[in-house]
Amino acid sequence: QVQVVESGGGLAQAGGSLRLSCAASGRTFSAYVMGWFRQAPGKEREFVGGISWSGGNTLFADSVKGRFTISRGNAKNTVYLQMNSLKPEDTAVYYCATTDRRYTIVDVTTAGYDYWGQGTQVTVSS
């Protein structure tokens, strides 16, 4: 009964910013790791970044390092992905994923996550 919902996608110009939100809900659910993946047409789903809930440790793909940040929201099981200095190659559907397995590190593979959102479209124009 865990639901994951992303929001905040849209259109931005190159060099601009967008902020994505992700909220996971469930009566007894407690996220240990929340991560972001993205998938562009014709490409495999790739890791963007993630955060371990208990320790607050973050990990980012090299392609977004220094431009994207992840923070925990005040609400339980909520995170934000702040995307700055956007590039056209950032265009993709962005997915939020989470797990309640008691991991303390961020997994860069989809296998590390059990619950997925529907995705939110991010389009960056040149």
Side-chain angles (χ1 to χ4, degrees):
Q1 294 184 213
V2 177
Q3 291 185 315
V4 182
V5 180
E6 311 99 331
S7 63
L11 177 65
Q13 291 185 313
S17 299
L18 285 173
R19 189 188 193 192
L20 306 184
S21 300
C22 176
S25 62
R27 189 175 64 83
T28 61
F29 181 76
S30 182
Y32 273 72
V33 178
M34 299 187 75
W36 290 91
F37 292 76
R38 66 186 183 187
Q39 188 166 24
K43 296 184 178 180
E44 294 186 6
R45 190 169 299 189
E46 66 174 355
F47 174 78
V48 176
I51 184 169
S52 60
W53 198 260
S54 59
N57 299 315
T58 59
L59 181 67
F60 296 94
D62 288 341
S63 59
V64 306
K65 194 173 299 181
R67 300 188 296 119
F68 292 8
T69 59
I70 291 175
S71 60
R72 293 179 292 183
N74 292 327
K76 186 179 180 181
N77 304 322
T78 301
V79 296
Y80 301 100
L81 179 67
Q82 180 68 46
M83 305 185 293
N84 299 321
S85 302
L86 285 165
K87 303 175 181 179
E89 49 263 46
D90 294 320
T91 296
V93 176
Y94 283 69
Y95 297 90
C96 180
T98 188
T99 180
D100 56 359
R101 285 177 280 176
R102 298 180 181 181
Y103 297 150
T104 57
I105 60 173
V106 175
D107 198 333
V108 302
T109 71
T110 58
Y113 303 88
D114 302 298
Y115 309 101
W116 293 80
Q118 290 287 100
T120 184
Q121 177 70 48
V122 171
T123 302
V124 183
S125 62
S126 60

